[in-house]
Short mmCIF file of all heavy atoms in Angstrom, two decimals:
data_model
loop_
_atom_site.label_atom_id
_atom_site.label_comp_id
_atom_site.label_asym_id
_atom_site.label_seq_id
_atom_site.Cartn_x
_atom_site.Cartn_y
_atom_site.Cartn_z
N MET A 23 9.98 13.59 1.89
CA MET A 23 8.76 12.87 1.56
C MET A 23 8.93 11.40 1.92
O MET A 23 9.91 10.77 1.56
CB MET A 23 8.50 13.04 0.07
CG MET A 23 7.28 12.30 -0.43
SD MET A 23 6.95 12.74 -2.16
CE MET A 23 6.11 11.24 -2.67
N ALA A 24 7.95 10.87 2.62
CA ALA A 24 8.03 9.47 3.03
C ALA A 24 7.80 8.57 1.82
O ALA A 24 7.02 8.90 0.94
CB ALA A 24 6.96 9.17 4.08
N GLU A 25 8.51 7.47 1.78
CA GLU A 25 8.27 6.51 0.71
C GLU A 25 7.02 5.73 1.06
O GLU A 25 6.85 5.27 2.18
CB GLU A 25 9.45 5.56 0.57
CG GLU A 25 10.61 6.18 -0.19
CD GLU A 25 11.56 5.10 -0.66
OE1 GLU A 25 11.37 4.58 -1.76
OE2 GLU A 25 12.49 4.81 0.09
N MET A 26 6.15 5.59 0.08
CA MET A 26 4.88 4.90 0.31
C MET A 26 4.65 3.91 -0.82
O MET A 26 5.21 4.05 -1.90
CB MET A 26 3.73 5.92 0.33
CG MET A 26 3.80 6.95 1.44
SD MET A 26 3.58 6.26 3.08
CE MET A 26 1.89 5.69 3.02
N PRO A 27 3.79 2.93 -0.56
CA PRO A 27 3.42 2.03 -1.65
C PRO A 27 2.77 2.82 -2.80
O PRO A 27 2.30 3.95 -2.62
CB PRO A 27 2.41 1.09 -1.01
CG PRO A 27 2.73 1.14 0.45
CD PRO A 27 3.18 2.55 0.70
N TYR A 28 2.73 2.19 -3.95
CA TYR A 28 2.16 2.83 -5.14
C TYR A 28 0.83 2.16 -5.47
O TYR A 28 0.72 0.94 -5.45
CB TYR A 28 3.14 2.67 -6.31
CG TYR A 28 2.55 3.06 -7.64
CD1 TYR A 28 2.40 4.40 -7.98
CD2 TYR A 28 2.13 2.08 -8.55
CE1 TYR A 28 1.84 4.75 -9.21
CE2 TYR A 28 1.59 2.43 -9.77
CZ TYR A 28 1.44 3.77 -10.10
OH TYR A 28 0.89 4.12 -11.29
N ILE A 29 -0.19 2.97 -5.75
CA ILE A 29 -1.49 2.42 -6.13
C ILE A 29 -1.74 2.72 -7.60
O ILE A 29 -1.67 3.87 -8.03
CB ILE A 29 -2.64 3.03 -5.30
CG1 ILE A 29 -2.42 2.74 -3.81
CG2 ILE A 29 -3.98 2.46 -5.74
CD1 ILE A 29 -3.47 3.38 -2.91
N ASP A 30 -2.04 1.67 -8.35
CA ASP A 30 -2.39 1.83 -9.76
C ASP A 30 -3.91 1.99 -9.84
O ASP A 30 -4.66 1.02 -9.72
CB ASP A 30 -1.93 0.60 -10.55
CG ASP A 30 -2.17 0.76 -12.05
OD1 ASP A 30 -2.99 1.62 -12.44
OD2 ASP A 30 -1.54 0.00 -12.81
N LEU A 31 -4.36 3.21 -10.01
CA LEU A 31 -5.80 3.48 -9.98
C LEU A 31 -6.51 2.91 -11.20
O LEU A 31 -7.74 2.78 -11.20
CB LEU A 31 -6.04 4.99 -9.87
CG LEU A 31 -5.61 5.60 -8.54
CD1 LEU A 31 -5.86 7.11 -8.53
CD2 LEU A 31 -6.34 4.96 -7.36
N ASP A 32 -5.77 2.55 -12.23
CA ASP A 32 -6.40 1.90 -13.39
C ASP A 32 -6.83 0.48 -13.04
O ASP A 32 -7.76 -0.07 -13.63
CB ASP A 32 -5.43 1.86 -14.58
CG ASP A 32 -5.22 3.24 -15.17
OD1 ASP A 32 -6.12 4.09 -15.04
OD2 ASP A 32 -4.15 3.47 -15.76
N LYS A 33 -6.15 -0.12 -12.06
CA LYS A 33 -6.50 -1.49 -11.64
C LYS A 33 -7.49 -1.48 -10.48
O LYS A 33 -8.32 -2.38 -10.34
CB LYS A 33 -5.25 -2.25 -11.21
CG LYS A 33 -4.27 -2.55 -12.33
CD LYS A 33 -3.11 -3.35 -11.77
CE LYS A 33 -2.09 -3.68 -12.84
NZ LYS A 33 -0.90 -4.37 -12.25
N CYS A 34 -7.39 -0.50 -9.60
CA CYS A 34 -8.19 -0.46 -8.36
C CYS A 34 -9.68 -0.30 -8.67
O CYS A 34 -10.06 0.53 -9.48
CB CYS A 34 -7.71 0.70 -7.51
SG CYS A 34 -8.71 0.99 -6.04
N ASP A 35 -10.51 -1.10 -7.98
CA ASP A 35 -11.96 -0.97 -8.14
C ASP A 35 -12.62 -0.43 -6.87
O ASP A 35 -13.82 -0.57 -6.69
CB ASP A 35 -12.58 -2.29 -8.57
CG ASP A 35 -12.53 -3.35 -7.47
OD1 ASP A 35 -11.92 -3.09 -6.42
OD2 ASP A 35 -13.12 -4.43 -7.67
N SER A 36 -11.81 0.12 -5.97
CA SER A 36 -12.31 0.75 -4.74
C SER A 36 -13.05 -0.22 -3.84
O SER A 36 -13.99 0.16 -3.15
CB SER A 36 -13.21 1.95 -5.06
OG SER A 36 -12.49 2.91 -5.80
N CYS A 37 -12.59 -1.48 -3.81
CA CYS A 37 -13.26 -2.47 -2.96
C CYS A 37 -13.02 -2.21 -1.48
O CYS A 37 -13.76 -2.70 -0.63
CB CYS A 37 -12.77 -3.87 -3.32
SG CYS A 37 -11.06 -4.22 -2.82
N ALA A 38 -11.98 -1.48 -1.14
CA ALA A 38 -11.66 -1.05 0.22
C ALA A 38 -11.12 -2.16 1.11
O ALA A 38 -10.98 -1.97 2.32
CB ALA A 38 -12.87 -0.38 0.89
N LEU A 39 -10.80 -3.31 0.55
CA LEU A 39 -10.25 -4.40 1.36
C LEU A 39 -8.93 -4.01 2.03
O LEU A 39 -8.59 -4.51 3.09
CB LEU A 39 -10.01 -5.63 0.49
CG LEU A 39 -11.23 -6.49 0.15
CD1 LEU A 39 -10.83 -7.59 -0.83
CD2 LEU A 39 -11.83 -7.08 1.41
N CYS A 40 -8.19 -3.12 1.40
CA CYS A 40 -6.88 -2.76 1.92
C CYS A 40 -6.95 -1.82 3.12
O CYS A 40 -6.00 -1.72 3.89
CB CYS A 40 -6.03 -2.12 0.82
SG CYS A 40 -6.85 -0.72 0.02
N ILE A 41 -8.07 -1.15 3.29
CA ILE A 41 -8.14 -0.13 4.35
C ILE A 41 -7.98 -0.72 5.75
O ILE A 41 -7.15 -0.26 6.53
CB ILE A 41 -9.44 0.69 4.22
CG1 ILE A 41 -9.38 1.52 2.94
CG2 ILE A 41 -9.63 1.60 5.44
CD1 ILE A 41 -10.66 2.31 2.65
N PRO A 42 -8.75 -1.76 6.12
CA PRO A 42 -8.63 -2.25 7.50
C PRO A 42 -7.32 -2.95 7.82
O PRO A 42 -6.98 -3.09 9.00
CB PRO A 42 -9.82 -3.21 7.63
CG PRO A 42 -10.19 -3.59 6.24
CD PRO A 42 -9.84 -2.41 5.38
N VAL A 43 -6.58 -3.40 6.81
CA VAL A 43 -5.32 -4.09 7.12
C VAL A 43 -4.18 -3.12 7.37
O VAL A 43 -3.13 -3.50 7.87
CB VAL A 43 -4.91 -5.10 6.01
CG1 VAL A 43 -6.00 -6.12 5.77
CG2 VAL A 43 -4.52 -4.39 4.74
N CYS A 44 -4.38 -1.87 7.00
CA CYS A 44 -3.29 -0.90 7.17
C CYS A 44 -3.20 -0.45 8.62
O CYS A 44 -4.10 0.18 9.14
CB CYS A 44 -3.48 0.30 6.26
SG CYS A 44 -2.16 1.51 6.46
N ARG A 45 -2.11 -0.77 9.22
CA ARG A 45 -1.93 -0.51 10.65
C ARG A 45 -1.72 0.97 10.97
O ARG A 45 -1.83 1.39 12.11
CB ARG A 45 -0.74 -1.31 11.18
CG ARG A 45 0.58 -0.96 10.53
CD ARG A 45 1.70 -1.89 10.96
NE ARG A 45 1.49 -3.23 10.41
CZ ARG A 45 2.29 -4.26 10.67
NH1 ARG A 45 3.32 -4.13 11.47
NH2 ARG A 45 2.05 -5.43 10.13
N CYS A 46 -1.42 1.76 9.95
CA CYS A 46 -1.16 3.17 10.24
C CYS A 46 -2.25 4.09 9.69
O CYS A 46 -2.13 5.31 9.75
CB CYS A 46 0.20 3.59 9.70
SG CYS A 46 0.30 3.60 7.92
N GLY A 47 -3.33 3.51 9.17
CA GLY A 47 -4.43 4.33 8.69
C GLY A 47 -4.07 5.18 7.49
O GLY A 47 -4.63 6.26 7.29
N ALA A 48 -3.15 4.67 6.68
CA ALA A 48 -2.69 5.46 5.53
C ALA A 48 -3.62 5.36 4.33
O ALA A 48 -3.51 6.15 3.41
CB ALA A 48 -1.29 5.02 5.12
N LEU A 49 -4.51 4.37 4.35
CA LEU A 49 -5.37 4.15 3.19
C LEU A 49 -6.79 4.61 3.52
O LEU A 49 -7.38 4.18 4.50
CB LEU A 49 -5.37 2.66 2.83
CG LEU A 49 -4.02 2.17 2.25
CD1 LEU A 49 -3.84 0.69 2.49
CD2 LEU A 49 -3.94 2.48 0.77
N VAL A 50 -7.31 5.47 2.69
CA VAL A 50 -8.67 5.98 2.88
C VAL A 50 -9.36 6.08 1.52
O VAL A 50 -8.70 6.15 0.48
CB VAL A 50 -8.68 7.38 3.57
CG1 VAL A 50 -8.15 7.30 4.98
CG2 VAL A 50 -7.89 8.38 2.75
N LEU A 51 -10.68 6.08 1.57
CA LEU A 51 -11.44 6.34 0.36
C LEU A 51 -11.83 7.81 0.34
O LEU A 51 -12.42 8.32 1.28
CB LEU A 51 -12.71 5.47 0.32
CG LEU A 51 -12.60 4.05 -0.22
CD1 LEU A 51 -13.94 3.34 -0.13
CD2 LEU A 51 -12.09 4.02 -1.66
N VAL A 52 -11.47 8.49 -0.72
CA VAL A 52 -11.85 9.89 -0.90
C VAL A 52 -12.67 9.97 -2.18
O VAL A 52 -12.16 9.68 -3.26
CB VAL A 52 -10.61 10.81 -1.00
CG1 VAL A 52 -11.03 12.25 -1.23
CG2 VAL A 52 -9.75 10.67 0.25
N ASN A 53 -13.94 10.30 -2.04
CA ASN A 53 -14.84 10.31 -3.21
C ASN A 53 -14.76 8.99 -3.96
O ASN A 53 -14.71 8.95 -5.19
CB ASN A 53 -14.51 11.48 -4.14
CG ASN A 53 -14.73 12.81 -3.46
OD1 ASN A 53 -15.63 12.96 -2.64
ND2 ASN A 53 -13.89 13.79 -3.77
N ASN A 54 -14.73 7.91 -3.17
CA ASN A 54 -14.69 6.54 -3.70
C ASN A 54 -13.41 6.22 -4.48
O ASN A 54 -13.40 5.31 -5.31
CB ASN A 54 -15.93 6.25 -4.56
CG ASN A 54 -16.30 4.77 -4.51
OD1 ASN A 54 -16.17 4.13 -3.46
ND2 ASN A 54 -16.74 4.23 -5.63
N VAL A 55 -12.38 6.96 -4.22
CA VAL A 55 -11.07 6.67 -4.83
C VAL A 55 -10.10 6.35 -3.70
O VAL A 55 -9.97 7.14 -2.75
CB VAL A 55 -10.55 7.88 -5.64
CG1 VAL A 55 -9.14 7.60 -6.17
CG2 VAL A 55 -11.50 8.20 -6.78
N ILE A 56 -9.46 5.19 -3.80
CA ILE A 56 -8.52 4.82 -2.74
C ILE A 56 -7.32 5.78 -2.77
O ILE A 56 -6.77 6.08 -3.83
CB ILE A 56 -8.07 3.35 -2.88
CG1 ILE A 56 -7.43 2.85 -1.59
CG2 ILE A 56 -7.15 3.14 -4.07
CD1 ILE A 56 -8.37 2.60 -0.47
N THR A 57 -6.98 6.27 -1.61
CA THR A 57 -5.97 7.32 -1.52
C THR A 57 -5.00 6.97 -0.40
O THR A 57 -5.39 6.53 0.67
CB THR A 57 -6.65 8.67 -1.21
OG1 THR A 57 -7.63 8.92 -2.22
CG2 THR A 57 -5.64 9.80 -1.18
N LEU A 58 -3.73 7.17 -0.67
CA LEU A 58 -2.70 6.95 0.34
C LEU A 58 -2.33 8.27 0.98
O LEU A 58 -1.97 9.23 0.29
CB LEU A 58 -1.45 6.36 -0.32
CG LEU A 58 -1.24 4.87 -0.23
CD1 LEU A 58 -0.11 4.46 -1.15
CD2 LEU A 58 -0.94 4.42 1.18
N ILE A 59 -2.46 8.32 2.28
CA ILE A 59 -2.03 9.50 3.00
C ILE A 59 -0.56 9.31 3.36
O ILE A 59 -0.19 8.31 3.97
CB ILE A 59 -2.85 9.68 4.31
CG1 ILE A 59 -4.32 9.82 3.98
CG2 ILE A 59 -2.33 10.88 5.09
CD1 ILE A 59 -5.21 9.76 5.21
N GLU A 60 0.23 10.24 2.93
CA GLU A 60 1.66 10.12 3.20
C GLU A 60 1.91 10.17 4.70
O GLU A 60 1.44 11.07 5.38
CB GLU A 60 2.41 11.25 2.51
CG GLU A 60 3.91 11.09 2.56
CD GLU A 60 4.59 12.28 1.91
OE1 GLU A 60 4.13 12.72 0.86
OE2 GLU A 60 5.55 12.77 2.51
N THR A 61 2.57 9.19 5.20
CA THR A 61 2.84 9.17 6.63
C THR A 61 4.16 8.46 6.92
O THR A 61 4.49 7.46 6.28
CB THR A 61 1.72 8.47 7.41
OG1 THR A 61 2.13 8.32 8.77
CG2 THR A 61 1.39 7.10 6.85
N GLU A 62 4.87 9.00 7.86
CA GLU A 62 6.10 8.35 8.28
C GLU A 62 5.80 7.07 9.05
O GLU A 62 6.68 6.26 9.31
CB GLU A 62 6.91 9.30 9.19
CG GLU A 62 7.37 10.58 8.53
CD GLU A 62 8.44 10.36 7.47
OE1 GLU A 62 9.11 9.32 7.50
OE2 GLU A 62 8.59 11.25 6.60
N LYS A 63 4.50 6.88 9.41
CA LYS A 63 4.14 5.71 10.22
C LYS A 63 3.98 4.45 9.39
O LYS A 63 3.79 3.38 9.94
CB LYS A 63 2.83 5.98 10.97
CG LYS A 63 2.95 7.04 12.05
CD LYS A 63 1.60 7.21 12.72
CE LYS A 63 1.62 8.38 13.71
NZ LYS A 63 0.26 8.73 14.13
N CYS A 64 3.99 4.58 8.07
CA CYS A 64 3.88 3.38 7.25
C CYS A 64 5.00 2.43 7.64
O CYS A 64 6.17 2.76 7.54
CB CYS A 64 3.97 3.72 5.77
SG CYS A 64 4.09 2.27 4.70
N GLY A 65 4.58 1.26 8.13
CA GLY A 65 5.58 0.31 8.61
C GLY A 65 6.11 -0.59 7.53
O GLY A 65 6.85 -1.53 7.81
N TRP A 66 5.72 -0.32 6.26
CA TRP A 66 6.17 -1.11 5.13
C TRP A 66 5.83 -2.59 5.34
O TRP A 66 6.59 -3.48 4.97
CB TRP A 66 7.68 -0.96 4.90
CG TRP A 66 8.14 0.47 4.79
CD1 TRP A 66 7.34 1.57 4.66
CD2 TRP A 66 9.47 0.96 4.78
NE1 TRP A 66 8.09 2.71 4.57
CE2 TRP A 66 9.42 2.35 4.65
CE3 TRP A 66 10.71 0.34 4.87
CZ2 TRP A 66 10.55 3.15 4.62
CZ3 TRP A 66 11.83 1.14 4.84
CH2 TRP A 66 11.76 2.52 4.71
N CYS A 67 4.69 -2.82 5.98
CA CYS A 67 4.31 -4.21 6.25
C CYS A 67 3.87 -4.91 4.97
O CYS A 67 3.86 -6.13 4.90
CB CYS A 67 3.19 -4.24 7.27
SG CYS A 67 1.65 -3.49 6.67
N CYS A 68 3.45 -4.12 4.00
CA CYS A 68 3.02 -4.64 2.68
C CYS A 68 1.75 -5.49 2.77
O CYS A 68 1.46 -6.26 1.85
CB CYS A 68 4.15 -5.38 1.98
SG CYS A 68 5.57 -4.31 1.70
N GLU A 69 1.02 -5.36 3.89
CA GLU A 69 -0.28 -6.07 3.99
C GLU A 69 -1.23 -5.58 2.90
O GLU A 69 -2.05 -6.34 2.40
CB GLU A 69 -0.90 -5.82 5.37
CG GLU A 69 -0.09 -6.33 6.53
CD GLU A 69 -0.23 -7.83 6.71
OE1 GLU A 69 -1.21 -8.39 6.21
OE2 GLU A 69 0.65 -8.43 7.35
N CYS A 70 -1.14 -4.30 2.58
CA CYS A 70 -2.03 -3.74 1.54
C CYS A 70 -1.78 -4.42 0.20
O CYS A 70 -2.71 -4.77 -0.51
CB CYS A 70 -1.84 -2.24 1.44
SG CYS A 70 -0.13 -1.69 1.25
N GLU A 71 -0.52 -4.63 -0.11
CA GLU A 71 -0.18 -5.28 -1.37
C GLU A 71 -0.67 -6.73 -1.37
O GLU A 71 -1.20 -7.22 -2.36
CB GLU A 71 1.33 -5.25 -1.56
CG GLU A 71 1.79 -5.93 -2.85
CD GLU A 71 3.30 -5.99 -2.96
OE1 GLU A 71 3.96 -6.45 -2.01
OE2 GLU A 71 3.84 -5.55 -3.98
N GLU A 72 -0.53 -7.39 -0.23
CA GLU A 72 -0.89 -8.81 -0.16
C GLU A 72 -2.38 -9.02 -0.28
O GLU A 72 -2.84 -9.99 -0.89
CB GLU A 72 -0.38 -9.41 1.15
CG GLU A 72 1.11 -9.67 1.11
CD GLU A 72 1.61 -10.24 2.43
OE1 GLU A 72 0.82 -10.89 3.14
OE2 GLU A 72 2.79 -10.01 2.74
N ILE A 73 -3.18 -8.12 0.31
CA ILE A 73 -4.63 -8.37 0.34
C ILE A 73 -5.32 -7.91 -0.94
O ILE A 73 -6.42 -8.37 -1.25
CB ILE A 73 -5.27 -7.69 1.57
CG1 ILE A 73 -6.60 -8.39 1.89
CG2 ILE A 73 -5.47 -6.19 1.35
CD1 ILE A 73 -7.17 -8.07 3.24
N CYS A 74 -4.71 -7.05 -1.69
CA CYS A 74 -5.38 -6.49 -2.87
C CYS A 74 -5.62 -7.59 -3.92
O CYS A 74 -4.67 -8.16 -4.46
CB CYS A 74 -4.56 -5.36 -3.48
SG CYS A 74 -5.38 -4.68 -4.95
N PRO A 75 -6.88 -7.87 -4.22
CA PRO A 75 -7.18 -8.96 -5.18
C PRO A 75 -6.85 -8.59 -6.62
O PRO A 75 -6.81 -9.46 -7.48
CB PRO A 75 -8.69 -9.18 -5.00
CG PRO A 75 -9.21 -7.89 -4.47
CD PRO A 75 -8.11 -7.26 -3.68
N LEU A 76 -6.61 -7.32 -6.88
CA LEU A 76 -6.37 -6.87 -8.25
C LEU A 76 -4.93 -6.46 -8.48
O LEU A 76 -4.59 -5.92 -9.53
CB LEU A 76 -7.31 -5.69 -8.58
CG LEU A 76 -8.81 -6.02 -8.48
CD1 LEU A 76 -9.63 -4.76 -8.71
CD2 LEU A 76 -9.20 -7.10 -9.47
N SER A 77 -4.09 -6.72 -7.49
CA SER A 77 -2.67 -6.35 -7.58
C SER A 77 -2.50 -4.88 -7.94
O SER A 77 -1.66 -4.51 -8.77
CB SER A 77 -1.93 -7.22 -8.60
OG SER A 77 -2.02 -8.58 -8.23
N ALA A 78 -3.33 -4.06 -7.32
CA ALA A 78 -3.29 -2.63 -7.64
C ALA A 78 -2.28 -1.88 -6.78
O ALA A 78 -1.94 -0.74 -7.09
CB ALA A 78 -4.67 -2.01 -7.46
N ILE A 79 -1.82 -2.51 -5.70
CA ILE A 79 -0.85 -1.85 -4.83
C ILE A 79 0.50 -2.52 -4.96
O ILE A 79 0.60 -3.75 -4.92
CB ILE A 79 -1.28 -1.90 -3.34
CG1 ILE A 79 -2.64 -1.22 -3.16
CG2 ILE A 79 -0.24 -1.22 -2.47
CD1 ILE A 79 -3.06 -1.13 -1.71
N THR A 80 1.50 -1.72 -5.12
CA THR A 80 2.86 -2.23 -5.18
C THR A 80 3.63 -1.65 -4.01
O THR A 80 3.73 -0.44 -3.85
CB THR A 80 3.56 -1.82 -6.49
OG1 THR A 80 2.77 -2.28 -7.58
CG2 THR A 80 4.95 -2.41 -6.57
N CYS A 81 4.11 -2.55 -3.19
CA CYS A 81 4.92 -2.14 -2.05
C CYS A 81 6.37 -2.10 -2.52
O CYS A 81 6.89 -3.10 -3.01
CB CYS A 81 4.74 -3.14 -0.91
SG CYS A 81 5.16 -2.52 0.70
N ALA A 82 6.95 -0.96 -2.43
CA ALA A 82 8.29 -0.78 -3.00
C ALA A 82 9.38 -1.41 -2.15
O ALA A 82 10.52 -1.45 -2.56
CB ALA A 82 8.58 0.71 -3.17
N PHE A 83 8.95 -1.90 -1.01
CA PHE A 83 9.97 -2.34 -0.06
C PHE A 83 10.10 -3.85 -0.07
O PHE A 83 9.20 -4.57 0.31
CB PHE A 83 9.64 -1.83 1.33
CG PHE A 83 9.24 -0.40 1.30
CD1 PHE A 83 7.91 -0.04 1.42
CD2 PHE A 83 10.18 0.57 1.06
CE1 PHE A 83 7.54 1.28 1.34
CE2 PHE A 83 9.81 1.90 0.96
CZ PHE A 83 8.49 2.26 1.11
N GLU A 84 11.20 -4.31 -0.53
CA GLU A 84 11.46 -5.74 -0.56
C GLU A 84 12.57 -6.03 0.43
O GLU A 84 13.48 -5.23 0.61
CB GLU A 84 11.95 -6.16 -1.97
CG GLU A 84 11.02 -5.75 -3.09
CD GLU A 84 9.86 -6.72 -3.27
OE1 GLU A 84 9.90 -7.78 -2.63
OE2 GLU A 84 8.94 -6.39 -4.03
N ILE A 85 12.47 -7.19 1.05
CA ILE A 85 13.56 -7.59 1.94
C ILE A 85 14.63 -8.24 1.07
O ILE A 85 14.38 -9.20 0.36
CB ILE A 85 13.07 -8.58 3.00
CG1 ILE A 85 12.03 -7.90 3.89
CG2 ILE A 85 14.24 -9.08 3.84
CD1 ILE A 85 11.38 -8.82 4.88
N VAL A 86 15.80 -7.66 1.11
CA VAL A 86 16.91 -8.17 0.30
C VAL A 86 17.99 -8.68 1.25
O VAL A 86 18.44 -7.95 2.14
CB VAL A 86 17.49 -7.06 -0.62
CG1 VAL A 86 18.68 -7.60 -1.40
CG2 VAL A 86 16.41 -6.55 -1.56
N PHE A 87 18.34 -9.93 1.06
CA PHE A 87 19.39 -10.49 1.91
C PHE A 87 20.75 -10.26 1.25
O PHE A 87 20.95 -10.63 0.09
CB PHE A 87 19.16 -11.99 2.12
CG PHE A 87 17.90 -12.28 2.91
CD1 PHE A 87 16.71 -12.60 2.26
CD2 PHE A 87 17.93 -12.21 4.29
CE1 PHE A 87 15.55 -12.86 3.00
CE2 PHE A 87 16.75 -12.46 5.03
CZ PHE A 87 15.59 -12.79 4.39
N ALA A 88 21.59 -9.62 1.99
CA ALA A 88 22.91 -9.34 1.45
C ALA A 88 23.72 -10.64 1.39
O ALA A 88 23.54 -11.53 2.22
CB ALA A 88 23.63 -8.33 2.33
N ASP A 89 24.58 -10.72 0.41
CA ASP A 89 25.46 -11.89 0.33
C ASP A 89 26.39 -11.87 1.52
O ASP A 89 26.90 -10.83 1.92
CB ASP A 89 26.28 -11.85 -0.96
CG ASP A 89 25.39 -12.08 -2.17
OD1 ASP A 89 24.35 -12.76 -2.02
OD2 ASP A 89 25.73 -11.58 -3.26
N GLU A 90 26.59 -13.03 2.09
CA GLU A 90 27.46 -13.09 3.26
C GLU A 90 28.91 -13.06 2.80
O GLU A 90 29.25 -13.54 1.76
CB GLU A 90 27.20 -14.40 4.02
CG GLU A 90 25.74 -14.52 4.40
CD GLU A 90 25.52 -14.35 5.87
OE1 GLU A 90 26.46 -14.63 6.63
OE2 GLU A 90 24.42 -13.99 6.27
S1 LIG B 2 2.69 -1.01 3.72
FE1 LIG B 2 1.45 -1.50 5.57
S2 LIG B 2 1.50 0.36 6.81
FE2 LIG B 2 2.16 0.94 4.72
S3 LIG B 2 0.32 1.62 3.64
FE3 LIG B 2 0.52 -0.60 3.25
S4 LIG B 2 -0.67 -1.64 4.87
FE4 LIG B 2 -0.32 0.50 5.49
S1 LIG B 3 -7.67 -3.69 -2.11
FE1 LIG B 3 -6.83 -3.10 -4.13
S2 LIG B 3 -8.62 -2.91 -5.44
FE2 LIG B 3 -9.36 -2.85 -3.32
S3 LIG B 3 -9.41 -0.64 -2.78
FE3 LIG B 3 -7.42 -1.45 -2.12
S4 LIG B 3 -6.05 -0.99 -3.88
FE4 LIG B 3 -8.14 -0.87 -4.64
#
C-alpha cells in the first residue's frame, strides 16, 4: 500500500482547493467528499497540505536532515 497524506474529514469543508495542485491527480471529490486515490505517483510534494486553508491534510513526509 502506498503511503499517502491523511485527510481529516472533520476539518475538510470540500472547498476543492487541493485538487488542482495535486500533480498526480490523487485528490478527487466523490459525492462532495474529498477523497485520496491511492497511487504510487504521489510525489510527496505536500502541495495539498500547504494549500489547505483548514489544515485538513497532513503530509506524512517530512524532510529530515541527518546529523553529519
Ligand atoms: S503530496 Fe502532492 S502528489 Fe501527493 S496527494 Fe498531495 S498534492 Fe498530490
Ligand atoms: S483544501 Fe482542505 S478543506 Fe479544501 S477540499 Fe482540500 S482537504 Fe478539504
Side-chain angles (χ1 to χ4, degrees):
M23 178 173 153
E25 281 197 89
M26 297 293 294
Y28 169 76
I29 300 177
D30 185 341
L31 292 179
D32 289 334
K33 293 182 180 175
C34 174
D35 68 354
S36 300
C37 71
L39 281 175
C40 54
I41 293 176
V43 303
C44 179
R45 61 187 69 183
C46 68
L49 291 154
V50 294
L51 275 178
V52 179
N53 297 326
N54 210 37
V55 175
I56 197 73
T57 304
L58 261 169
I59 300 170
E60 189 183 317
T61 172
E62 298 290 339
K63 292 180 186 168
C64 172
W66 308 348
C67 65
C68 300
E69 298 282 340
C70 52
E71 179 185 51
E72 284 179 27
I73 202 166
C74 180
L76 300 175
S77 300
I79 301 185
T80 304
C81 201
F83 315 104
E84 306 278 350
I85 297 174
V86 177
F87 294 96
D89 291 332
E90 304 251 335

